[in-house]
Amino acid sequence: MTTTPPGWYDDGHGALRWWDGVQWTEHVAQPDPEPSAAPTEAEIVAAQLGFEQPAAEPVAPAAPAIDPGVAAYLAAQQNPVAAAPQQPVAEPAATSPYGAAQPETPQYGAAPQYGAAPQYGAAPQYAPQYSDAPDPAYAQATYPGGAFTAATEPRKSKLWIIWVVLGVVLLGIVIAVAVVVPLLILNASSNGSGAQSDDEKSAVAAVQSYDHAWKTGDCDELLSVTTEEFRAASQYVDCETFQSDAANFDDTFDDYKLAITEVASDDDAIEITTNETYTLLVDENGEPADPTAGATVYHYTLVPEGAAWVIDDLYYDE
């Protein structure tokens, strides 16, 4: 009779059950799972790059081989009559000088030892290898905020440059007007408006000297630019009378200015028109009053006397 040594065997129901050498016990253990194959380098790289790998189809574990003795036992359980062993006919034992022979005691080896399931270390980590690594200098962005931010970032206006230029130009025009215009007025006052010939220029100079004589009280200057008939009509028969009137003139007017507006020659006479502006310091009764701005248009008639032109008549517009 073949005897199956004790051990873990497949009981035919998908489990490992302990066989004690005679019969099945209640001790059941699940078979160790098949160790999974280590991932390949391609699978590791694909996992690091985020690619999904198709799931491997499960493989049914192979059932361990059934010991012949265990298989016979299972068959006997299903058909006890057919599987009953035939009893051998005992042969007469040989006579032994040492007495009857003793039945041989079966010797069983030690129960098979199953080592612990193999332990697999962690899968090796492989750093991805690239043929051409990018240059770190190239990775720096050209614009601090990226291409989109650089394209949409508002640009600073340069209109302020135009305004500065216009301001400088306007300032230059104002300075030119402030300097040139007074010079033109002074030149017109000195030479006479419209004075072309030497006689007209001499007549304009006589009118300006007459104005200066009144401002300074210079009697000799008055005599040099007026005719005797004009002085008599104005009651300036002597210098004392004129100087008195000139002093009164200085107390009555302030900021007195004379401007030649027109010069016209007519045969042996020259007509000069002036616009004389002033600030009046007294009222109509000659009493001091608040300053009042005023202007009067005068007409001078000049005639030749010797080599000069002198004032012969004077009147003003009401």
Side-chain angles (χ1 to χ4, degrees), residues 10-76:
D10 189 346
D11 61 359
H13 299 284
L16 293 179
R17 187 179 297 274
W18 180 258
W19 173 264
D20 61 1
V22 178
Q23 61 182 359
W24 293 104
T25 66
E26 298 298 327
H27 303 289
V28 179
Q30 296 295 332
D32 293 334
E34 291 294 332
S36 59
T40 63
E41 181 177 354
E43 292 175 344
I44 295 174
V45 173
Q48 293 178 349
L49 295 179
F51 295 104
E52 296 183 358
Q53 295 293 327
E57 295 182 359
V59 179
I66 302 176
D67 187 89
V70 176
Y73 174 80
L74 294 177

Side-chain angles (χ1 to χ4, degrees), residues 35-121:
S36 59
T40 63
E41 181 177 354
E43 292 175 344
I44 295 174
V45 173
Q48 293 178 349
L49 295 179
F51 295 104
E52 296 183 358
Q53 295 293 327
E57 295 182 359
V59 179
I66 302 176
D67 187 89
V70 176
Y73 174 80
L74 294 177
Q77 295 295 326
Q78 295 177 359
N79 191 357
V81 177
Q86 299 294 326
Q87 298 294 328
V89 177
E91 295 181 358
T95 302
S96 173
Y98 301 101
Q102 299 296 323
E104 181 179 0
T105 302
Q107 300 296 323
Y108 302 101
Q113 300 296 322
Y114 298 94
Q119 301 296 323
Y120 297 97

Side-chain angles (χ1 to χ4, degrees), residues 196-250:
Q196 300 295 330
S197 64
D198 292 339
D199 290 340
E200 291 177 348
K201 293 178 181 179
S202 178
V204 169
V207 172
Q208 292 173 343
S209 296
Y210 178 78
D211 178 68
H212 185 263
W214 275 97
K215 292 179 180 178
T216 59
D218 190 344
C219 184
D220 293 336
E221 189 172 17
L222 174 70
L223 295 175
S224 64
V225 294
T226 57
T227 63
E228 185 176 354
E229 290 79 6
F230 175 79
R231 294 192 297 271
S234 302
Q235 299 179 356
Y236 302 140
V237 293
D238 52 35
C239 288
E240 294 179 1
T241 304
F242 171 73
Q243 291 173 346
S244 176
D245 289 345
N248 187 44
F249 174 87
D250 187 59

